[in-house]
Amino acid sequence: DDPRSRFWGRNAGAAAYVAKERARTELVPEVERVLNVAQTSMLPVARRAGRRAQPMQRLSEVLDQLLFRAVVSSEVRRLIHHTSDRERFCKGLVNIASEVADYSYLVLRLDGREGPTYTIHARAPLPEKPDPLVLRALQIPSGPALKLQIERETDEIAPPGTRVVIRDMADFPVEAASEPLGELKAFGARKRLGGEDRQTLELIATETGLLAKNVFLLEETRRLANSDALTGLMNRRRCTETLESELTRAKRYKIPFSVCICDVDHFKSVNDRFGHNMGDEVLREVARALESVLREADAIGRWGGEEFLTVMPETGLEGACEVAERMREAIASIPAFEAGPDKVTSSFGVAEYSEDANGAMLVDRSDQALYKAKEGGRNRVVASDKE
């Protein structure tokens, strides 16, 4: 009834496999089924006696262990098909580990450009939303930016406040060519971790290294395809896709949303006076300032040159202007640049979605409002009249 035996029973190539708790009801029907579909040889097996018995038994055990490790490695390597989806990959990996090792909790951490992600597989009680004490017991840092998914052996969810008491812990690094990529940790709550379980989890962590590297490479490829190389924000293509997606959602659910275009004031003079390298540095600082004040639901990208486009879902014109004002203040607060401009300001044009508008029309309204902001003296926010 242990996970390792169940895994081996399903993958050893036998004609049938019956779990221990189902033997009473399934054993005889399974035997009858096998006898009906196959010619079973009942020739006696010659028993080896004397001195050869022990070496042959030991050899059989070694071969079984090698075959077991080969099957586990093969199962892990099959996850190469899921490395384009980190969440699915992590879920598949902890599910394989749960079939071949016994533990109370398993935690997989994969690092990445935007911080680590954690996947927990729980056999022992675990609350639906683990509190900081539970996370600390499982050596997971708590905080608002925590990215966590939980897989459970059963549907049973422990009530809030349930404590996690750890008796034993083992950790196994996930790396490729000595590059650290994450970690696999097993925790024993009811009993200590077995030696075979530790060896099996170490094998899984070793096999995971190259697959995790593939996950990171695919994520980086997607990021580069969707990001502006200079600022790290969305590029224009991704901005357009986000805009059209929110437009479709607004039409379907009859909800508001707004867009805002930001243009850095007198940017040409920055390039002319201080050089293009300084101009690039100004744009990077402006991008960081814009991101620092945006809400989690907002999306921002570099629209082109010194222009930035912000999409604000479920936000009317008044709320969008408030967000734009915070962005304007953030840019105006950028400290003076060494060997560069003392102050940077920007102008903003804001427009709200209307049912008759498409993406191009909405951007055009924002652009017209931006033009009015520049005509009015720059370093200000102007809202478009809703047409």
Side-chain angles (χ1 to χ4, degrees):
D1 60 353
D2 62 285
R4 183 187 180 96
S5 296
R6 292 175 186 272
F7 174 84
W8 195 231
R10 286 192 295 271
N11 292 279
Y17 166 72
V18 179
K20 183 176 181 180
E21 66 271 14
R22 298 181 181 175
R24 184 177 300 229
T25 58
E26 295 183 5
L27 180 58
V28 174
E30 281 297 303
V31 171
E32 291 177 342
R33 182 186 66 79
V34 172
L35 289 173
N36 287 332
V37 300
Q39 294 293 324
T40 306
S41 173
M42 301 300 290
L43 295 176
V45 177
R47 293 180 178 271
R48 293 177 174 85
R51 295 180 179 178
R52 297 186 60 192
Q54 187 177 2
M56 291 303 295
Q57 181 181 355
R58 283 162 49 193
L59 177 60
S60 176
E61 290 173 356
V62 169
L63 291 175
D64 280 349
Q65 182 64 18
L66 290 174
L67 184 56
F68 175 80
R69 291 175 64 86
V71 173
V72 172
S73 297
S74 176
E75 289 295 305
V76 174
R77 290 171 189 171
R78 288 184 185 182
L79 293 176
I80 188 68
H81 302 298
H82 303 317
T83 51
S84 60
D85 184 336
R86 180 190 288 228
E87 184 174 323
R88 190 175 178 187
F89 170 77
C90 292
K91 180 179 179 180
L93 189 68
V94 299
N95 285 339
I96 290 174
S98 71
E99 289 189 315
V100 296
D102 192 15
Y103 51 78
S104 298
Y105 306 98
L106 187 75
V107 177
L108 171 65
R109 188 195 85 236
L110 286 187
D111 301 324
R113 184 184 179 90
E114 299 180 359
T117 59
Y118 294 85
T119 302
I120 301 176
H121 184 269
R123 288 196 172 105
L126 189 71
E128 183 176 10
K129 294 183 178 179
D131 58 36
L133 289 177
V134 172
L135 294 175
R136 189 183 309 161
L138 298 178
Q139 300 185 9
I140 299 174
S142 58
L146 174 63
K147 299 175 183 177
L148 174 68
Q149 64 172 334
I150 300 175
E151 299 293 319
R152 290 182 169 83
E153 192 88 343
T154 66
D155 295 333
E156 182 181 354
I157 299 177
T162 300
R163 291 185 61 196
V164 170
V165 180
I166 302 301
R167 293 189 58 192
D168 196 14
M169 189 275 289
D171 60 311
F172 311 96
V174 174
E175 55 186 20
S178 300
E179 177 188 358
L181 304 174
E183 196 171 34
L184 188 66
K185 292 186 178 183
F187 299 86
R190 295 181 293 266
K191 60 181 182 180
R192 295 193 177 279
L193 301 169
E196 288 187 342
D197 294 323
R198 290 170 182 262
Q199 292 175 9
T200 303
L201 291 173
E202 183 179 17
L203 170 66
I204 290 175
T206 300
E207 293 290 348
T208 301
L210 289 177
L211 299 178
K213 184 68 174 178
N214 202 54
V215 170
F216 296 157
L217 289 174
L218 289 172
E219 288 178 347
E220 182 66 7
T221 299
R222 283 197 296 269
R223 187 192 68 80
L224 292 174
N226 293 320
S227 301
D228 171 59
L230 177 64
T231 63
L233 302 179
M234 294 188 302
N235 57 22
R236 181 162 183 146
R237 181 181 65 83
R238 185 59 181 156
C239 282
T240 303
E241 292 174 354
T242 303
L243 177 62
E244 293 299 330
S245 175
E246 287 302 327
L247 192 68
T248 300
R249 198 165 74 93
K251 288 181 177 179
R252 178 179 300 170
Y253 298 109
K254 309 297 182 185
I255 55 177
F257 93 96
S258 300
V259 298
C260 167
I261 291 182
C262 161
D263 184 90
V264 179
D265 295 332
H266 303 296
F267 184 72
K268 185 177 183 301
S269 65
V270 173
N271 280 332
D272 293 343
R273 182 179 176 186
F274 302 105
H276 288 277
N277 287 339
M278 177 53 64
D280 289 347
E281 181 60 25
V282 168
L283 290 179
R284 281 191 288 266
E285 287 300 318
V286 167
R288 279 194 280 268
L290 292 172
E291 278 191 302
S292 69
V293 295
L294 286 181
R295 303 163 302 178
E296 188 175 347
D298 299 332
I300 186 169
R302 187 180 178 194
W303 192 241
E306 65 272 24
E307 287 189 338
F308 299 87
L309 179 75
T310 306
V311 178
M312 292 173 271
E314 300 183 34
T315 306
L317 189 62
E318 183 177 352
C321 287
E322 292 176 1
V323 175
E325 182 60 29
R326 290 203 299 271
M327 291 193 287
R328 186 197 67 77
E329 292 174 355
I331 293 174
S333 300
I334 295 175
F337 291 84
E338 184 178 351
D342 294 333
K343 188 176 181 61
V344 177
T345 63
S346 53
S347 302
F348 292 80
V350 183
E352 183 182 5
Y353 154 78
S354 58
E355 292 186 3
D356 63 331
N358 56 32
M361 293 168 62
L362 196 55
V363 171
D364 186 58
R365 291 177 189 170
S366 300
D367 216 22
Q368 292 175 23
L370 173 64
Y371 179 78
K372 292 179 181 178
K374 287 184 171 293
E375 288 290 301
R378 292 184 169 83
N379 192 25
R380 65 190 60 214
V381 176
V382 172
S384 169
D385 296 329
K386 190 173 180 180
E387 298 178 4

